[in-house]
Amino acid sequence: MNTIVNVRSFLCLGPALLTAACALGPLTARPLEGAAGTDVATPAFSFADDTFAFANDIRARHPDAEDLYANYCFVLARALRQFNQFARFEPARPRLDRAGYVEVVRRVAALPAWAAPLGPEDRVVIPGYASLREFSRAEEAAVKEGLGGRFWTLLHWTNWRAGFYVTRAHQENVAREILDELRAGRLVQLLVTNWPKPELNHTVVAFEARDTGAQIDFGVWDPNDPSAPGVLSFRREPRAFWATRLYDTEPGAIRAFRMYFSRLL
């Protein structure tokens, strides 16, 4: 989303939400396991095939544009996981009209992102296309309509974690959970922020990791940049996340939180 955070909202919601901070993760954590050269990747995911062909636009970069598909980063990142977990592409089947594709996309988007992946026979079938990339390129308007609006994703209470103070142990535990999920073959959606710097209040999806020894580099899909993977790093010292290569973001220290992995978080 890369948008300036609403300070007034923080002042209104901050006191209530700070009482829930204890639910965001442990304050202490065991040392992060790993070894230099170790790679982890979700086997059922291809950046070239299993991502959206269109981008979430940054409104500040297009101030005069009308009908801009902007501030949909949370919608797209969640939907990427939903398609990975609940959809199946069948290129040999006859294609649908626009209304038909809107309906199948709505069926995928209606399933909770934290639910276990469905088996092949139970998945929503997307006929006429071989991959999400091909489908979203050819049927962009239908996909956008089927994914629905952005309102509730923008107001989701967990977004306000961007204003929370977190410990180094908490961030180390987030890194460990990302690795655990990737090892289990699951994509991981993350809220990333460098607040109070008014630059980054955004979401990405981690799909692979490489341990270099000093840090773990997570390959991420960024809704703002469908062309190439980004890199979000966790540095063992000082036990913090770093925006190594995130679209339209200066490299630097950030905070990361998992998103849509349970009914509440």
Side-chain angles (χ1 to χ4, degrees), residues 91-135:
R93 293 197 183 188
R95 292 185 178 179
L96 307 176
D97 59 14
R98 171 171 170 161
Y101 280 127
V102 169
E103 178 57 29
V104 295
V105 172
R106 283 176 176 164
R107 288 174 58 196
V108 175
L111 296 169
W114 56 85
L118 295 175
E121 298 304 316
D122 296 322
R123 291 182 173 236
V124 178
V125 174
I126 313 295
Y129 294 98
S131 68
L132 180 58
R133 176 71 67 143
E134 181 185 351
F135 174 52

Side-chain angles (χ1 to χ4, degrees), residues 145-172:
E145 182 178 348
L147 291 179
R150 64 199 175 192
F151 181 78
W152 290 114
T153 64
L154 296 176
L155 290 184
H156 197 282
W157 80 269
T158 59
N159 297 347
W160 302 106
R161 291 178 293 177
F164 289 168
Y165 169 79
V166 293
T167 66
R168 294 180 180 183
H170 171 275
Q171 292 292 272
E172 186 175 37

Side-chain angles (χ1 to χ4, degrees), residues 4 7 13 34 45 60 64 66-67 74 96 99 124 146 161 164 186 198 208 223-224 243 245:
I4 296 177
V7 177
L13 295 176
F45 179 82
D64 300 321
E66 298 181 1
D67 299 323
F74 294 119
L96 307 176
V124 178
R161 291 178 293 177
F164 289 168
R186 293 185 289 266
E208 65 181 9
N224 294 351
R245 188 170 71 247

